[in-house]
PDB file of all heavy atoms in Angstrom:
ATOM      1  N   SER B  15     232.574  72.720 -72.618  1.00 42.00           N
ATOM      2  CA  SER B  15     232.515  72.687 -71.155  1.00 42.00           C
ATOM      3  C   SER B  15     232.165  71.286 -70.685  1.00 42.00           C
ATOM      4  O   SER B  15     232.716  70.793 -69.705  1.00 42.00           O
ATOM      5  CB  SER B  15     231.498  73.702 -70.646  1.00 42.00           C
ATOM      6  OG  SER B  15     230.212  73.285 -70.984  1.00 42.00           O
ATOM      7  N   LEU B  16     231.287  70.658 -71.424  1.00 42.00           N
ATOM      8  CA  LEU B  16     230.913  69.302 -71.041  1.00 42.00           C
ATOM      9  C   LEU B  16     232.098  68.368 -71.209  1.00 42.00           C
ATOM     10  O   LEU B  16     232.374  67.531 -70.374  1.00 42.00           O
ATOM     11  CB  LEU B  16     229.748  68.820 -71.895  1.00 42.00           C
ATOM     12  CG  LEU B  16     228.394  69.338 -71.442  1.00 42.00           C
ATOM     13  CD1 LEU B  16     227.343  68.996 -72.459  1.00 42.00           C
ATOM     14  CD2 LEU B  16     228.024  68.741 -70.098  1.00 42.00           C
ATOM     15  N   CYS B  17     232.819  68.571 -72.320  1.00 39.00           N
ATOM     16  CA  CYS B  17     233.934  67.695 -72.613  1.00 39.00           C
ATOM     17  C   CYS B  17     234.997  67.795 -71.529  1.00 39.00           C
ATOM     18  O   CYS B  17     235.482  66.792 -71.023  1.00 39.00           O
ATOM     19  CB  CYS B  17     234.564  68.054 -73.954  1.00 39.00           C
ATOM     20  SG  CYS B  17     233.563  67.502 -75.317  1.00 39.00           S
ATOM     21  N   THR B  18     235.322  69.034 -71.155  1.00 36.00           N
ATOM     22  CA  THR B  18     236.367  69.208 -70.154  1.00 36.00           C
ATOM     23  C   THR B  18     235.942  68.539 -68.859  1.00 36.00           C
ATOM     24  O   THR B  18     236.740  67.898 -68.202  1.00 36.00           O
ATOM     25  CB  THR B  18     236.655  70.695 -69.893  1.00 36.00           C
ATOM     26  OG1 THR B  18     235.400  71.343 -69.698  1.00 36.00           O
ATOM     27  CG2 THR B  18     237.396  71.310 -71.050  1.00 36.00           C
ATOM     28  N   LYS B  19     234.676  68.696 -68.561  1.00 40.00           N
ATOM     29  CA  LYS B  19     234.182  68.115 -67.333  1.00 40.00           C
ATOM     30  C   LYS B  19     234.371  66.603 -67.349  1.00 40.00           C
ATOM     31  O   LYS B  19     234.804  66.007 -66.373  1.00 40.00           O
ATOM     32  CB  LYS B  19     232.704  68.441 -67.159  1.00 40.00           C
ATOM     33  CG  LYS B  19     232.180  67.978 -65.831  1.00 40.00           C
ATOM     34  CD  LYS B  19     230.927  68.706 -65.460  1.00 40.00           C
ATOM     35  CE  LYS B  19     230.589  68.364 -64.025  1.00 40.00           C
ATOM     36  NZ  LYS B  19     229.289  68.828 -63.651  1.00 40.00           N
ATOM     37  N   VAL B  20     234.060  66.039 -68.494  1.00 39.00           N
ATOM     38  CA  VAL B  20     234.142  64.593 -68.585  1.00 39.00           C
ATOM     39  C   VAL B  20     235.586  64.132 -68.526  1.00 39.00           C
ATOM     40  O   VAL B  20     235.918  63.167 -67.859  1.00 39.00           O
ATOM     41  CB  VAL B  20     233.455  64.109 -69.879  1.00 39.00           C
ATOM     42  CG1 VAL B  20     233.854  62.680 -70.174  1.00 39.00           C
ATOM     43  CG2 VAL B  20     231.966  64.228 -69.712  1.00 39.00           C
ATOM     44  N   SER B  21     236.439  64.873 -69.229  1.00 37.00           N
ATOM     45  CA  SER B  21     237.810  64.394 -69.297  1.00 37.00           C
ATOM     46  C   SER B  21     238.507  64.493 -67.936  1.00 37.00           C
ATOM     47  O   SER B  21     239.378  63.691 -67.643  1.00 37.00           O
ATOM     48  CB  SER B  21     238.588  65.175 -70.353  1.00 37.00           C
ATOM     49  OG  SER B  21     238.530  66.537 -70.019  1.00 37.00           O
ATOM     50  N   THR B  22     238.105  65.469 -67.138  1.00 38.00           N
ATOM     51  CA  THR B  22     238.791  65.604 -65.862  1.00 38.00           C
ATOM     52  C   THR B  22     238.306  64.568 -64.855  1.00 38.00           C
ATOM     53  O   THR B  22     239.058  64.133 -64.008  1.00 38.00           O
ATOM     54  CB  THR B  22     238.585  67.005 -65.263  1.00 38.00           C
ATOM     55  OG1 THR B  22     237.182  67.284 -65.300  1.00 38.00           O
ATOM     56  CG2 THR B  22     239.339  68.056 -66.036  1.00 38.00           C
ATOM     57  N   SER B  23     237.068  64.201 -64.943  1.00 51.00           N
ATOM     58  CA  SER B  23     236.589  63.195 -64.010  1.00 51.00           C
ATOM     59  C   SER B  23     236.223  61.945 -64.801  1.00 51.00           C
ATOM     60  O   SER B  23     236.394  61.880 -66.002  1.00 51.00           O
ATOM     61  CB  SER B  23     235.385  63.714 -63.245  1.00 51.00           C
ATOM     62  OG  SER B  23     234.306  63.835 -64.128  1.00 51.00           O
ATOM     63  N   LYS B  24     235.722  61.004 -64.104  1.00 67.00           N
ATOM     64  CA  LYS B  24     235.408  59.756 -64.802  1.00 67.00           C
ATOM     65  C   LYS B  24     233.902  59.575 -64.969  1.00 67.00           C
ATOM     66  O   LYS B  24     233.393  58.485 -64.916  1.00 67.00           O
ATOM     67  CB  LYS B  24     236.014  58.594 -64.049  1.00 67.00           C
ATOM     68  CG  LYS B  24     235.765  58.683 -62.554  1.00 67.00           C
ATOM     69  CD  LYS B  24     236.450  57.582 -61.810  1.00 67.00           C
ATOM     70  CE  LYS B  24     236.197  57.723 -60.320  1.00 67.00           C
ATOM     71  NZ  LYS B  24     236.594  56.579 -59.555  1.00 67.00           N
ATOM     72  N   TRP B  25     233.222  60.692 -65.150  1.00 73.00           N
ATOM     73  CA  TRP B  25     231.787  60.621 -65.383  1.00 73.00           C
ATOM     74  C   TRP B  25     231.541  59.973 -66.726  1.00 73.00           C
ATOM     75  O   TRP B  25     231.875  60.523 -67.753  1.00 73.00           O
ATOM     76  CB  TRP B  25     231.185  62.016 -65.378  1.00 73.00           C
ATOM     77  CG  TRP B  25     231.263  62.710 -64.072  1.00 73.00           C
ATOM     78  CD1 TRP B  25     232.337  63.412 -63.601  1.00 73.00           C
ATOM     79  CD2 TRP B  25     230.258  62.780 -63.072  1.00 73.00           C
ATOM     80  NE1 TRP B  25     232.048  63.903 -62.363  1.00 73.00           N
ATOM     81  CE2 TRP B  25     230.788  63.539 -62.002  1.00 73.00           C
ATOM     82  CE3 TRP B  25     228.973  62.260 -62.956  1.00 73.00           C
ATOM     83  CZ2 TRP B  25     230.066  63.800 -60.850  1.00 73.00           C
ATOM     84  CZ3 TRP B  25     228.254  62.532 -61.810  1.00 73.00           C
ATOM     85  CH2 TRP B  25     228.802  63.291 -60.765  1.00 73.00           C
ATOM     86  N   LYS B  26     231.004  58.840 -66.709  1.00 79.00           N
ATOM     87  CA  LYS B  26     230.695  58.195 -67.980  1.00 79.00           C
ATOM     88  C   LYS B  26     229.450  57.329 -67.794  1.00 79.00           C
ATOM     89  O   LYS B  26     229.170  56.837 -66.700  1.00 79.00           O
ATOM     90  CB  LYS B  26     231.869  57.362 -68.470  1.00 79.00           C
ATOM     91  CG  LYS B  26     232.396  56.409 -67.428  1.00 79.00           C
ATOM     92  CD  LYS B  26     233.642  55.712 -67.920  1.00 79.00           C
ATOM     93  CE  LYS B  26     234.158  54.751 -66.861  1.00 79.00           C
ATOM     94  NZ  LYS B  26     235.285  53.968 -67.329  1.00 79.00           N
ATOM     95  N   VAL B  27     228.742  57.182 -68.885  1.00 83.00           N
ATOM     96  CA  VAL B  27     227.449  56.515 -68.825  1.00 83.00           C
ATOM     97  C   VAL B  27     227.343  55.583 -70.015  1.00 83.00           C
ATOM     98  O   VAL B  27     227.729  55.951 -71.118  1.00 83.00           O
ATOM     99  CB  VAL B  27     226.306  57.557 -68.876  1.00 83.00           C
ATOM    100  CG1 VAL B  27     224.969  56.881 -68.954  1.00 83.00           C
ATOM    101  CG2 VAL B  27     226.366  58.480 -67.685  1.00 83.00           C
ATOM    102  N   LYS B  28     226.855  54.426 -69.795  1.00 85.00           N
ATOM    103  CA  LYS B  28     226.648  53.519 -70.927  1.00 85.00           C
ATOM    104  C   LYS B  28     225.397  53.935 -71.695  1.00 85.00           C
ATOM    105  O   LYS B  28     224.304  54.013 -71.125  1.00 85.00           O
ATOM    106  CB  LYS B  28     226.507  52.085 -70.438  1.00 85.00           C
ATOM    107  CG  LYS B  28     226.204  51.140 -71.575  1.00 85.00           C
ATOM    108  CD  LYS B  28     226.666  49.750 -71.318  1.00 85.00           C
ATOM    109  CE  LYS B  28     226.418  48.901 -72.545  1.00 85.00           C
ATOM    110  NZ  LYS B  28     226.975  47.578 -72.419  1.00 85.00           N
ATOM    111  N   GLN B  29     225.587  54.193 -72.968  1.00 86.00           N
ATOM    112  CA  GLN B  29     224.467  54.619 -73.804  1.00 86.00           C
ATOM    113  C   GLN B  29     223.797  53.394 -74.408  1.00 86.00           C
ATOM    114  O   GLN B  29     224.470  52.541 -74.981  1.00 86.00           O
ATOM    115  CB  GLN B  29     224.966  55.525 -74.925  1.00 86.00           C
ATOM    116  CG  GLN B  29     225.752  56.734 -74.450  1.00 86.00           C
ATOM    117  CD  GLN B  29     224.888  57.734 -73.705  1.00 86.00           C
ATOM    118  OE1 GLN B  29     223.715  57.910 -74.020  1.00 86.00           O
ATOM    119  NE2 GLN B  29     225.455  58.380 -72.701  1.00 86.00           N
ATOM    120  N   VAL B  30     222.499  53.321 -74.268  1.00 88.00           N
ATOM    121  CA  VAL B  30     221.789  52.147 -74.770  1.00 88.00           C
ATOM    122  C   VAL B  30     220.743  52.570 -75.797  1.00 88.00           C
ATOM    123  O   VAL B  30     219.928  53.460 -75.545  1.00 88.00           O
ATOM    124  CB  VAL B  30     221.099  51.376 -73.623  1.00 88.00           C
ATOM    125  CG1 VAL B  30     220.498  50.091 -74.147  1.00 88.00           C
ATOM    126  CG2 VAL B  30     222.068  51.095 -72.496  1.00 88.00           C
ATOM    127  N   THR B  31     220.794  51.953 -76.962  1.00 88.00           N
ATOM    128  CA  THR B  31     219.772  52.155 -77.990  1.00 88.00           C
ATOM    129  C   THR B  31     219.251  50.777 -78.399  1.00 88.00           C
ATOM    130  O   THR B  31     219.619  49.776 -77.796  1.00 88.00           O
ATOM    131  CB  THR B  31     220.361  52.873 -79.218  1.00 88.00           C
ATOM    132  OG1 THR B  31     221.408  52.078 -79.745  1.00 88.00           O
ATOM    133  CG2 THR B  31     220.884  54.243 -78.866  1.00 88.00           C
ATOM    134  N   THR B  32     218.452  50.735 -79.446  1.00 89.00           N
ATOM    135  CA  THR B  32     217.906  49.434 -79.852  1.00 89.00           C
ATOM    136  C   THR B  32     219.022  48.441 -80.185  1.00 89.00           C
ATOM    137  O   THR B  32     218.871  47.247 -79.978  1.00 89.00           O
ATOM    138  CB  THR B  32     217.015  49.571 -81.106  1.00 89.00           C
ATOM    139  OG1 THR B  32     217.630  50.497 -81.983  1.00 89.00           O
ATOM    140  CG2 THR B  32     215.636  50.044 -80.743  1.00 89.00           C
ATOM    141  N   SER B  33     220.146  48.961 -80.703  1.00 88.00           N
ATOM    142  CA  SER B  33     221.191  48.054 -81.179  1.00 88.00           C
ATOM    143  C   SER B  33     221.844  47.256 -80.050  1.00 88.00           C
ATOM    144  O   SER B  33     222.259  46.133 -80.254  1.00 88.00           O
ATOM    145  CB  SER B  33     222.248  48.840 -81.955  1.00 88.00           C
ATOM    146  OG  SER B  33     222.730  49.884 -81.153  1.00 88.00           O
ATOM    147  N   ASN B  34     221.964  47.855 -78.871  1.00 88.00           N
ATOM    148  CA  ASN B  34     222.614  47.090 -77.798  1.00 88.00           C
ATOM    149  C   ASN B  34     221.693  46.891 -76.592  1.00 88.00           C
ATOM    150  O   ASN B  34     222.157  46.708 -75.479  1.00 88.00           O
ATOM    151  CB  ASN B  34     223.915  47.772 -77.366  1.00 88.00           C
ATOM    152  CG  ASN B  34     223.676  49.181 -76.855  1.00 88.00           C
ATOM    153  OD1 ASN B  34     222.630  49.762 -77.121  1.00 88.00           O
ATOM    154  ND2 ASN B  34     224.609  49.734 -76.134  1.00 88.00           N
ATOM    155  N   PHE B  35     220.404  46.949 -76.864  1.00 89.00           N
ATOM    156  CA  PHE B  35     219.472  46.877 -75.738  1.00 89.00           C
ATOM    157  C   PHE B  35     219.476  45.510 -75.063  1.00 89.00           C
ATOM    158  O   PHE B  35     219.565  45.420 -73.841  1.00 89.00           O
ATOM    159  CB  PHE B  35     218.057  47.239 -76.205  1.00 89.00           C
ATOM    160  CG  PHE B  35     217.028  47.142 -75.120  1.00 89.00           C
ATOM    161  CD1 PHE B  35     217.122  47.940 -73.985  1.00 89.00           C
ATOM    162  CD2 PHE B  35     215.964  46.260 -75.211  1.00 89.00           C
ATOM    163  CE1 PHE B  35     216.178  47.851 -72.977  1.00 89.00           C
ATOM    164  CE2 PHE B  35     215.016  46.172 -74.204  1.00 89.00           C
ATOM    165  CZ  PHE B  35     215.125  46.970 -73.078  1.00 89.00           C
ATOM    166  N   ASN B  36     219.427  44.448 -75.870  1.00 88.00           N
ATOM    167  CA  ASN B  36     219.283  43.124 -75.280  1.00 88.00           C
ATOM    168  C   ASN B  36     220.450  42.755 -74.377  1.00 88.00           C
ATOM    169  O   ASN B  36     220.254  42.248 -73.272  1.00 88.00           O
ATOM    170  CB  ASN B  36     219.114  42.072 -76.382  1.00 88.00           C
ATOM    171  CG  ASN B  36     217.688  42.086 -76.904  1.00 88.00           C
ATOM    172  OD1 ASN B  36     216.770  42.473 -76.178  1.00 88.00           O
ATOM    173  ND2 ASN B  36     217.510  41.714 -78.165  1.00 88.00           N
ATOM    174  N   GLU B  37     221.671  43.043 -74.833  1.00 88.00           N
ATOM    175  CA  GLU B  37     222.820  42.696 -74.005  1.00 88.00           C
ATOM    176  C   GLU B  37     222.850  43.570 -72.746  1.00 88.00           C
ATOM    177  O   GLU B  37     223.178  43.091 -71.658  1.00 88.00           O
ATOM    178  CB  GLU B  37     224.110  42.840 -74.817  1.00 88.00           C
ATOM    179  CG  GLU B  37     224.391  44.255 -75.249  1.00 88.00           C
ATOM    180  CD  GLU B  37     225.273  44.363 -76.481  1.00 88.00           C
ATOM    181  OE1 GLU B  37     224.848  43.853 -77.546  1.00 88.00           O
ATOM    182  OE2 GLU B  37     226.337  44.964 -76.376  1.00 88.00           O
ATOM    183  N   SER B  38     222.463  44.848 -72.913  1.00 88.00           N
ATOM    184  CA  SER B  38     222.489  45.741 -71.756  1.00 88.00           C
ATOM    185  C   SER B  38     221.449  45.330 -70.725  1.00 88.00           C
ATOM    186  O   SER B  38     221.650  45.527 -69.521  1.00 88.00           O
ATOM    187  CB  SER B  38     222.201  47.175 -72.193  1.00 88.00           C
ATOM    188  OG  SER B  38     223.065  47.556 -73.220  1.00 88.00           O
ATOM    189  N   LEU B  39     220.389  44.766 -71.215  1.00 89.00           N
ATOM    190  CA  LEU B  39     219.322  44.356 -70.303  1.00 89.00           C
ATOM    191  C   LEU B  39     219.839  43.292 -69.337  1.00 89.00           C
ATOM    192  O   LEU B  39     219.577  43.327 -68.138  1.00 89.00           O
ATOM    193  CB  LEU B  39     218.151  43.822 -71.127  1.00 89.00           C
ATOM    194  CG  LEU B  39     216.848  43.617 -70.375  1.00 89.00           C
ATOM    195  CD1 LEU B  39     216.333  44.940 -69.853  1.00 89.00           C
ATOM    196  CD2 LEU B  39     215.810  42.994 -71.301  1.00 89.00           C
ATOM    197  N   GLU B  40     220.614  42.349 -69.880  1.00 88.00           N
ATOM    198  CA  GLU B  40     221.182  41.305 -69.032  1.00 88.00           C
ATOM    199  C   GLU B  40     222.112  41.908 -67.984  1.00 88.00           C
ATOM    200  O   GLU B  40     222.081  41.536 -66.811  1.00 88.00           O
ATOM    201  CB  GLU B  40     221.943  40.288 -69.898  1.00 88.00           C
ATOM    202  CG  GLU B  40     221.044  39.399 -70.738  1.00 88.00           C
ATOM    203  CD  GLU B  40     219.968  38.714 -69.910  1.00 88.00           C
ATOM    204  OE1 GLU B  40     220.311  38.112 -68.878  1.00 88.00           O
ATOM    205  OE2 GLU B  40     218.777  38.801 -70.291  1.00 88.00           O
ATOM    206  N   GLU B  41     222.908  42.877 -68.473  1.00 88.00           N
ATOM    207  CA  GLU B  41     223.867  43.530 -67.580  1.00 88.00           C
ATOM    208  C   GLU B  41     223.174  44.250 -66.444  1.00 88.00           C
ATOM    209  O   GLU B  41     223.513  44.076 -65.275  1.00 88.00           O
ATOM    210  CB  GLU B  41     224.645  44.565 -68.377  1.00 88.00           C
ATOM    211  CG  GLU B  41     226.016  44.149 -68.809  1.00 88.00           C
ATOM    212  CD  GLU B  41     226.594  45.231 -69.694  1.00 88.00           C
ATOM    213  OE1 GLU B  41     226.729  46.385 -69.231  1.00 88.00           O
ATOM    214  OE2 GLU B  41     226.865  44.921 -70.849  1.00 88.00           O
ATOM    215  N   ILE B  42     222.208  45.053 -66.830  1.00 90.00           N
ATOM    216  CA  ILE B  42     221.569  45.898 -65.819  1.00 90.00           C
ATOM    217  C   ILE B  42     220.794  45.036 -64.832  1.00 90.00           C
ATOM    218  O   ILE B  42     220.632  45.393 -63.671  1.00 90.00           O
ATOM    219  CB  ILE B  42     220.680  46.985 -66.473  1.00 90.00           C
ATOM    220  CG1 ILE B  42     220.451  48.140 -65.480  1.00 90.00           C
ATOM    221  CG2 ILE B  42     219.356  46.430 -66.941  1.00 90.00           C
ATOM    222  CD1 ILE B  42     219.798  49.336 -66.070  1.00 90.00           C
ATOM    223  N   LYS B  43     220.371  43.893 -65.296  1.00 90.00           N
ATOM    224  CA  LYS B  43     219.638  42.988 -64.419  1.00 90.00           C
ATOM    225  C   LYS B  43     220.511  42.603 -63.228  1.00 90.00           C
ATOM    226  O   LYS B  43     220.091  42.692 -62.069  1.00 90.00           O
ATOM    227  CB  LYS B  43     219.256  41.737 -65.215  1.00 90.00           C
ATOM    228  CG  LYS B  43     218.251  40.849 -64.537  1.00 90.00           C
ATOM    229  CD  LYS B  43     217.849  39.736 -65.497  1.00 90.00           C
ATOM    230  CE  LYS B  43     216.749  38.888 -64.933  1.00 90.00           C
ATOM    231  NZ  LYS B  43     216.274  37.914 -65.910  1.00 90.00           N
ATOM    232  N   THR B  44     221.745  42.220 -63.503  1.00 90.00           N
ATOM    233  CA  THR B  44     222.631  41.839 -62.402  1.00 90.00           C
ATOM    234  C   THR B  44     222.985  43.050 -61.553  1.00 90.00           C
ATOM    235  O   THR B  44     223.068  42.961 -60.331  1.00 90.00           O
ATOM    236  CB  THR B  44     223.926  41.198 -62.936  1.00 90.00           C
ATOM    237  OG1 THR B  44     224.512  42.121 -63.849  1.00 90.00           O
ATOM    238  CG2 THR B  44     223.660  39.886 -63.626  1.00 90.00           C
TER     239      THR B  44
END
Side-chain angles (χ1 to χ4, degrees):
Chain B
S15 69
L16 280 171
C17 285
T18 48
K19 186 160 189 190
V20 165
S21 58
T22 50
S23 69
K24 46 184 179 169
W25 295 84
K26 51 186 180 175
V27 174
K28 176 153 184 174
Q29 305 292 326
V30 186
T31 60
T32 40
S33 55
N34 60 342
F35 178 61
N36 281 334
E37 64 204 61
S38 307
L39 192 63
E40 288 307 310
E41 259 175 60
I42 201 171
K43 192 174 186 174
T44 55

